Amino acid sequence: MPEHPIESLMKTAMESIKEMVNVNVVVGDPVETADGTVIIPISRVACGFGAGGGELEAQGRQAQDGEQLPFFGGGSGAGVSVQPVGFLVVGQGQVRLLPVDGNTVVDRLIDLAPQLVSQIQSLFKGENDRNKVVVCPPPPPPGATIPPM
């Protein structure tokens, strides 16, 4: 049985998407800085695909074996959206996600949460006496786009 024309339209569109989108689009190539920190870009990829067509019986249009062939009209299309999400920063014994958009104050608080929990635990264990000063890192400056490391 011969291939229907819509199949070739769909195959062409899907092969094009396959060529455009691979894992290197979502997780980019790592970049190493002079101090040994590795920065990896992370993106969000969304794909959409559609195809359709219609046939109309035609008089006198026949295949080689005498079978009546319909007229066919169709189309297909696809779209790909790549949106940067942030950067994974690996260095100085830690891994951090620096978002491109978002609330950097909340991200900074999440980064400081483990340190805060350990300080609270040590207070309850009685390891800190009243003369000892607990030093917390300073908050990020107002309007900062990337919190300090």
Side-chain angles (χ1 to χ4, degrees):
M1 182 171 163
E3 185 178 275
H4 195 277
I6 193 87
E7 290 180 44
S8 65
L9 288 172
M10 292 176 66
K11 282 181 185 176
T12 302
M14 294 304 287
E15 287 172 4
S16 297
I17 290 175
K18 187 177 176 182
E19 288 176 14
M20 288 187 289
V21 179
N22 61 31
V23 72
N24 292 330
V25 174
V26 177
V27 178
D29 294 329
V31 176
E32 188 169 354
T33 63
D35 68 349
T37 301
V38 178
I39 301 171
I40 305 168
I42 307 292
S43 299
R44 176 181 297 127
V45 177
C47 299
F49 174 78
E55 295 179 334
L56 175 67
E57 292 295 325
Q59 296 291 332
R61 186 166 182 256
Q62 296 181 352
Q64 291 178 353
D65 61 358
E67 180 185 350
Q68 180 75 23
L69 291 177
F71 287 114
F72 174 76
S76 66
V80 177
S81 169
V82 179
Q83 184 178 29
V85 173
F87 298 92
L88 274 178
V89 180
V90 182
Q92 301 173 357
Q94 61 180 338
V95 178
R96 298 184 60 205
L97 175 65
L98 298 177
V100 172
D101 292 327
N103 191 345
T104 56
V105 174
V106 173
D107 295 330
R108 184 74 175 148
L109 289 174
I110 290 171
D111 286 343
L112 293 175
Q115 184 180 9
L116 182 63
V117 168
S118 66
Q119 288 179 355
I120 291 172
Q121 286 176 340
S122 65
L123 284 174
F124 283 114
K125 289 180 183 177
E127 294 176 4
N128 288 342
D129 50 312
R130 293 188 185 264
N131 296 333
K132 193 171 185 182
V133 177
V134 177
V135 178
C136 293
T145 56
I146 298 177
M149 291 184 69

